[in-house]
C-alpha cells in the first residue's frame, strides 16, 4: 500500500485501521468468500492462473521515482517514492479512450460525497470520451448496500467490491454469474493493448481472479503489502536518548516499557500491540502446513506464545488504560499528545496528513518505526498481505464493444503518478480545481469540494506510490524502513488466493468467539487457558471441518499459493 498525498491517504488510513482489527481476528484468508455450493467462483490455483494472468510490463511513461523500488524476499518489492511532483505532465494515453458510451458505476466512499454532475466529473468524462456516471455510496454502509442491489438485480455496469467483504458479497459466485470474464481481453500479451493496465503488478490481477478466470480490475496494487508497522514517537525517543535499534526481541520491548512508562505523568509506553506481536512471534496467518497436513493458525504454538506475551504486557502496567479497555477511539490523538509512545498500525497511516495532525497537537511530533524483529532475536519474518484490497468488476450484460471501451477507460484511469491523466483524476482541472504550489498541485476551494475524494480511482488506479510533498523526510524514512523490512517478507499459506467456502462453514470461518477471546486476552481480562478452551469449542463446532475442507479442496488440489 502506498501513502501518497492525495485524498487516497485518508482512505488508506481507514483501511489500515480495519486491517489491524482483521489481524486481531486472525481469520481465514482475507480473500475468502462463503457461497452456496463452494464450487462456483471457487479456488484459483497458481498453475492455472499462470495461463490467464496478464503480462507485467513496467511503465515507460510518467516520472521516474526518486527512490526506486527495492527487491526483497518472496517476490516483494518496495513501493517507489517521489520527493517532488513532476512539472511536465506527460500524456500516456494518446487517443480519447471512450467511444461515446454511457455507463453507471458504484464505488464506496469514506468521506463527503461530491455533488453529482459537478464540473470535475464533466471534465474527466470529456477526457474519457464517455459518460461514466460514478455514484459513490457511503463506505460505512457499503456492506449492506451491495447485497440489496444484488437481491434486486440492480447491479450497475461497473462496480467496486473491496476484498475484505468478499464473504459478505459472495464475490466468487457473483463473478461466475454476474460479472464479465476479462480473460480473453487481458490474459497474457492481450493486455499490451492497454499499457497502463499492463504496468499494474501481477498480484493485483490475482486478487480479482476466480476459478482460473480473470474478472477483476485492481486499484492501488502494491508489491509490499506488509503486515504492519511498530511505530514510536521519534521526537520523544530522540529527546530522551532512547535508541529504538536496541530493541531486538520481545524481552527488549518489555524492558523498554518500564523505561518509558510514567504513570504519574499520565504517560504509558504502549498501545495494544497485538498486530505486531503476531509478527514478532511468527504467528501463521489463517493456516499452517506441517508434514503435509493443514492446521488452523489458532492452534499453532506461535499463537499461544504470542498471546502469552500480549497478556504479560496487559498486566505489566505499561499499556495505556484505554487500550486495556479495548477503546481505540482516541488512540491516535493519545499518540499525538505523547501520552502513549509506541503503537502498532498499518503503513498507510505514515504520511503528510499524519504529520500535520501530529504537529497540530505537538509541534515537535515525528513518527518513527522500529526495524522489524523476532520475539527471540532470531531472523525475523513479516507476512505479506493481498497485493490489493480494491477490485472492480464489469457487468456480464455488457457487449464486447462495451467491455473493450471500459478497458480503454480503465487504462486511462491506471496512468502512473504525475502524468496528465493522473493529475486530472486526482486533482481536476488546473486553474479550476487546483493551482501550482511550492510542492505540486494544491486544491482550490472548488477542487477540495468536488475533486479531492476517491471516486474514479476505485474503478482502476495505478500501482501505489509514496509521495508526501513538503515532507521529504517522511518519504525517505518510509522507503528506508520498507527496504529493510522486505528483506524478511514471507508469503502465508494460500497467499493471494481467492477461495469460495461453502456457506455451511460461515460461522466457523468467521470464528467470532475466537476473535472475542483474543481481544480479551490481549486486554488482560482472559487468560491463554481460556483461549485454548475457546479454540477447542470452536474446533468441535465446525473449525476442524473447515480446516479439513481447506485441506481437501484447496491444499491437496492447488497447493499453498506460496
Amino acid at each position: 500500500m502506498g501513502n501518497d498525498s492525495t485524498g487516497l491517504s485518508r482512505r488508506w488510513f481507514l483501511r489500515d485501521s480495519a486491517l489491524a482489527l482483521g489481524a486481531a481476528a486472525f481469520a481465514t484468508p482475507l480473500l475468502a468468500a462463503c457461497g452456496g455450493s463452494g464450487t462456483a467462483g471457487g479456488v484459483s490455483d497458481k498453475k492455472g492462473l499462470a495461463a490467464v494472468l496478464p503480462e507485467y510490463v513496467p511503465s515507460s511513461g510518467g516520472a521516474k521515482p526518486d527512490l526506486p523500488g527495492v527487491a526483497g524476499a518472496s517476490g516483494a518489492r518496495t513501493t517507489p517514492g517521489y520527493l517532488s511532483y513532476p512539472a511536465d505532465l506527460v500524456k500516456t494515453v494518446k487517443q480519447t479512450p471512450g467511444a461515446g458510451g454511457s455507463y453507471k458505476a458504484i464505488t464506496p466512499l469514506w468521506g463527503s460525497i461530491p455533488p453529482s454532475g459537478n464540473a470535475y466529473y464533466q471534465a474527466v468524462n470529456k477526457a474519457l470520451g464517455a459518460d461514466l456516471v460514478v455514484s459513490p455510496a457511503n463506505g460505512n454502509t457499503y456492506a449492506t448496500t451491495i447485497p440489496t442491489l444484488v437481491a434486486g438485480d440492480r447491479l450497475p455496469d461497473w462496480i467496486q467490491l473491496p476484498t475484505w467483504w468478499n464473504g459478505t458479497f459472495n464475490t466468487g459466485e457473483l463473478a461466475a454469474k454476474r460479472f464479465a470474464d476479462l480473460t480473453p481481453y487481458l490474459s497474457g500479451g492481450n493486455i499490451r493493448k492497454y499499457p497502463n493496465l499492463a504496468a499494474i503488478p501481477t498480484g493485483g490481477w490475482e486478487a480479482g481472479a476466480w476459478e482460473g478466470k480473470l474478472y477483476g480490475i485492481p486499484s492501488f496494487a502494491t508489491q509490499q503489502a506488509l503486515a504492519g508497522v511498530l511505530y514510536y514517537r521519534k521526537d520523544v525517543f530522540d529527546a530522551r536518548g532512547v535508541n529504538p535499534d536496541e530493541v531486538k526481541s520481545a524481552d527488549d520491548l518489555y524492558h523498554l516499557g518500564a523505561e518509558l512508562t510514567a504513570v504519574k505523568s499520565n504517560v504509558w509506553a504502549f498501545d495494544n500491540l497485538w498486530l505486531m506481536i503476531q509478527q514478532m512471534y511468527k504467528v501463521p496467518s489463517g493456516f499452517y502446513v506441517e508434514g503435509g497436513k493443514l492446521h488452523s493458525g489458532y492452534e499453532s504454538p506461535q499463537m499461544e506464545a504470542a498471546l502469552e506475551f500480549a497478556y504479560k504486557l496487559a498486566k505489566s502496567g505499561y499499556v495505556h488504560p484505554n487500550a486495556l479497555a479495548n477503546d481505540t477511539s482516541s488512540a491516535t490523538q493519545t499518540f499525538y499528545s505523547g501520552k502513549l509512545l509506541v503503537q502498532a498500525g498499518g503503513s498507510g497511516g505514515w504520511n503528510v496528513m499524519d504529520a500535520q495532525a501530529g504537529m497540530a497537537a505537538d509541534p515537535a511530533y515525528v513518527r518513527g518505526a522500529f526495524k522489524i524483529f523476532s520475539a527471540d532475536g532470531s531472523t525475523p519474518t513479516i507476512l505479506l498481505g493481498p497485493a490489493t484490497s480494491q477490485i472492480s468488476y464489469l457487468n456480464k450484460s455488457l457487449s464486447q464493444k462495451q467491455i473493450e471501451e471500459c478497458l480503454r477507460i480503465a487504462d486511462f484511469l491506471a496512468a502512473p503518478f504525475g502524468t496528465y491523466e493522473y493529475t486530472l483524476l486526482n486533482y481536476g482541472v488546473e486553474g479550476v480545481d487546483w493551482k501550482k504550489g511550492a510542492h505540486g498541485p494544491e486544491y482550490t476551494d472548488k477542487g477540495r469540494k468536488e475533486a479531492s475524494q476517491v471516486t474514479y480511482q476505485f474503478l482502476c488506479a495505478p500501482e501505489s506510490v509514496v509521495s508526501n510533498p513538503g515532507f521529504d523526510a517522511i518519504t525517505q524514512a518510509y522507503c528506508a524502513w520498507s527496504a529493510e523490512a522486505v528483506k524478511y517478507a514471507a508469503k502465508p499459506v494460500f497467499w493471494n488466493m481467492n477461495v469460495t467456502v461453502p456457506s455451511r462453514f460461515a460461522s466457523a470461518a468467521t470464528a467470532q468467539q475466537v476473535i472475542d477471546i483474543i481481544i480479551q486476552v490481549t486486554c488482560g481480562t482472559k487468560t491463554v487457558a481460556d483461549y485454548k478452551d475457546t479454540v477447542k469449542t470452536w474446533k468441535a463446532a465446525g473449525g476442524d471441518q473447515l480446516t479439513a475442507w481447506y485441506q481437501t479442496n484447496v491444499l491437496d488440489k492447488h497447493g499453498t499459493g506460496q
Side-chain angles (χ1 to χ4, degrees), residues 171-409:
T171 307
E173 290 197 3
L174 281 179
K177 296 177 180 179
R178 304 287 190 93
F179 297 147
D181 178 6
L182 303 181
T183 310
Y185 305 91
L186 299 177
S187 63
N190 292 326
I191 201 169
R192 289 179 177 267
K193 298 176 185 176
Y194 314 102
N196 291 328
L197 293 182
I200 295 176
T202 302
W205 296 105
E206 289 180 339
W210 295 90
E211 205 169 64
K213 295 180 180 179
L214 189 63
Y215 291 96
I217 302 171
S219 294
F220 317 120
T222 177
Q223 299 178 75
Q224 68 152 78
L226 301 174
V229 187
L230 187 62
Y231 292 115
Y232 65 93
R233 279 290 300 266
K234 185 177 186 303
D235 55 304
V236 175
F237 276 43
D238 288 350
R240 295 177 57 171
V242 177
N243 183 0
D245 292 345
E246 293 180 354
V247 178
K248 299 179 180 179
S249 68
D251 284 345
D252 290 344
L253 184 65
Y254 187 84
H255 294 315
L256 178 65
E259 182 178 353
L260 296 177
T261 300
V263 175
K264 290 183 179 180
S265 299
N266 201 29
V267 174
W268 282 265
F270 304 129
D271 197 359
N272 188 319
L273 304 183
W274 177 239
L275 175 64
M276 295 310 290
I277 290 173
Q278 293 174 89
Q279 176 269 312
M280 296 174 207
Y281 281 85
K282 304 179 182 179
V283 176
S285 178
F287 297 100
Y288 67 100
V289 179
E290 191 172 76
K293 185 178 179 181
L294 191 67
H295 301 270
S296 168
Y298 289 137
E299 54 186 336
S300 69
Q302 297 95 322
M303 183 65 154
E304 292 182 14
L307 284 170
E308 291 281 9
F309 181 72
Y311 182 82
K312 179 181 176 181
L313 274 190
K315 294 297 187 181
S316 67
Y318 308 148
V319 179
H320 195 281
N322 287 352
L324 294 178
N326 196 33
D327 178 3
T328 62
S329 60
S330 60
T332 300
Q333 194 60 41
T334 307
F335 186 69
Y336 289 160
S337 66
K339 299 305 181 182
L340 70 82
L341 302 176
V342 178
Q343 190 174 54
S347 61
W350 194 1
N351 56 37
V352 60
M353 294 182 64
D354 168 75
Q356 291 170 336
M359 291 168 66
D362 181 348
Y365 173 83
V366 180
R367 181 182 291 266
F370 289 89
K371 294 179 180 179
I372 66 168
F373 57 88
S374 67
D376 61 2
S378 63
T379 301
T381 61
I382 185 165
L383 294 179
L384 289 169
T388 184
S389 58
Q390 311 294 340
I391 298 289
S392 72
Y393 297 88
L394 297 176
N395 199 301
K396 196 173 187 176
S397 66
L398 297 177
S399 69
Q400 178 179 336
K401 287 186 177 180
Q402 288 176 314
I403 291 173
E404 290 173 342
E405 183 177 16
C406 287
L407 291 177
R408 292 194 301 271
I409 291 171

Side-chain angles (χ1 to χ4, degrees), residues 353-551:
M353 294 182 64
D354 168 75
Q356 291 170 336
M359 291 168 66
D362 181 348
Y365 173 83
V366 180
R367 181 182 291 266
F370 289 89
K371 294 179 180 179
I372 66 168
F373 57 88
S374 67
D376 61 2
S378 63
T379 301
T381 61
I382 185 165
L383 294 179
L384 289 169
T388 184
S389 58
Q390 311 294 340
I391 298 289
S392 72
Y393 297 88
L394 297 176
N395 199 301
K396 196 173 187 176
S397 66
L398 297 177
S399 69
Q400 178 179 336
K401 287 186 177 180
Q402 288 176 314
I403 291 173
E404 290 173 342
E405 183 177 16
C406 287
L407 291 177
R408 292 194 301 271
I409 291 171
D411 188 61
F412 186 103
L413 302 181
F417 174 84
T419 59
Y420 163 80
E421 298 90 349
Y422 180 96
T423 306
L424 174 65
L425 291 162
N426 287 281
Y427 293 100
V429 177
E430 184 178 7
V432 178
D433 300 305
W434 64 274
K435 60 182 180 180
K436 290 183 178 179
H439 304 289
E442 295 179 352
Y443 289 117
T444 62
D445 289 342
K446 182 178 180 64
R448 194 172 292 108
K449 180 180 179 181
E450 297 183 356
S452 67
Q453 297 293 349
V454 183
T455 53
Y456 294 97
Q457 299 95 326
F458 272 155
L459 298 177
C460 187
E463 179 180 11
S464 293
V465 301
V466 184
S467 175
N468 297 282
F471 288 80
D472 289 353
I474 297 176
T475 299
Q476 291 166 332
Y478 178 95
C479 289
W481 178 87
S482 300
E484 176 68 17
V486 295
K487 297 176 183 177
Y488 309 106
K491 293 178 180 178
V493 172
F494 307 141
W495 178 80
N496 226 31
M497 291 174 68
N498 281 332
V499 179
T500 299
V501 180
S503 57
R504 66 182 182 274
F505 296 128
S507 179
T510 303
Q512 189 62 50
Q513 70 271 43
V514 183
I515 293 170
D516 292 342
I517 198 72
I518 289 174
I519 293 172
Q520 291 170 323
V521 174
T522 62
C523 291
T525 58
K526 294 288 185 179
T527 67
V528 176
D530 296 323
Y531 167 80
K532 292 169 73 173
D533 288 342
T534 301
V535 170
K536 184 177 180 180
T537 301
W538 170 79
K539 284 163 60 67
D544 279 344
Q545 290 180 312
L546 174 67
T547 303
W549 185 90
Y550 266 94
Q551 173 84 48

Side-chain angles (χ1 to χ4, degrees), residues 7-295:
L8 303 181
S9 57
R10 294 191 291 276
R11 175 66 195 117
W12 288 127
F13 189 83
L14 290 169
R15 180 187 128 177
D16 282 333
S17 299
L19 184 62
L21 292 174
F26 198 79
T28 50
L30 291 176
L31 301 179
C34 288
S37 64
T39 55
V43 183
S44 292
D45 64 57
K46 299 299 180 182
K47 184 180 295 185
L49 279 180
V52 302
L53 285 173
E55 290 182 4
Y56 172 61
V57 184
S59 176
S60 59
K64 301 299 181 185
D66 299 289
L67 301 167
V70 176
S74 303
R77 189 176 187 85
T78 62
T79 303
Y82 292 83
L83 301 179
S84 61
Y85 204 87
D88 297 323
L89 305 180
V90 176
K91 285 189 175 183
T92 63
V93 179
K94 305 304 180 184
Q95 298 181 332
T96 302
S102 295
Y103 304 97
K104 294 181 178 180
I106 293 178
T107 62
L109 180 60
W110 289 263
S112 300
I113 295 179
S116 60
N118 64 56
Y120 163 74
Y121 285 148
Q122 294 176 32
V124 172
N125 283 345
K126 181 179 180 180
L128 294 178
D131 184 23
L132 178 56
V133 180
V134 180
S135 299
N138 187 337
N140 296 319
T141 58
Y142 206 65
T144 56
T145 298
I146 301 306
T148 301
L149 293 176
V150 172
D153 197 21
R154 293 186 289 116
L155 287 175
D157 302 306
W158 203 339
I159 192 166
Q160 208 270 4
L161 302 180
T163 63
W164 61 74
W165 282 321
N166 276 348
T168 301
F169 299 153
N170 195 5
T171 307
E173 290 197 3
L174 281 179
K177 296 177 180 179
R178 304 287 190 93
F179 297 147
D181 178 6
L182 303 181
T183 310
Y185 305 91
L186 299 177
S187 63
N190 292 326
I191 201 169
R192 289 179 177 267
K193 298 176 185 176
Y194 314 102
N196 291 328
L197 293 182
I200 295 176
T202 302
W205 296 105
E206 289 180 339
W210 295 90
E211 205 169 64
K213 295 180 180 179
L214 189 63
Y215 291 96
I217 302 171
S219 294
F220 317 120
T222 177
Q223 299 178 75
Q224 68 152 78
L226 301 174
V229 187
L230 187 62
Y231 292 115
Y232 65 93
R233 279 290 300 266
K234 185 177 186 303
D235 55 304
V236 175
F237 276 43
D238 288 350
R240 295 177 57 171
V242 177
N243 183 0
D245 292 345
E246 293 180 354
V247 178
K248 299 179 180 179
S249 68
D251 284 345
D252 290 344
L253 184 65
Y254 187 84
H255 294 315
L256 178 65
E259 182 178 353
L260 296 177
T261 300
V263 175
K264 290 183 179 180
S265 299
N266 201 29
V267 174
W268 282 265
F270 304 129
D271 197 359
N272 188 319
L273 304 183
W274 177 239
L275 175 64
M276 295 310 290
I277 290 173
Q278 293 174 89
Q279 176 269 312
M280 296 174 207
Y281 281 85
K282 304 179 182 179
V283 176
S285 178
F287 297 100
Y288 67 100
V289 179
E290 191 172 76
K293 185 178 179 181
L294 191 67
H295 301 270

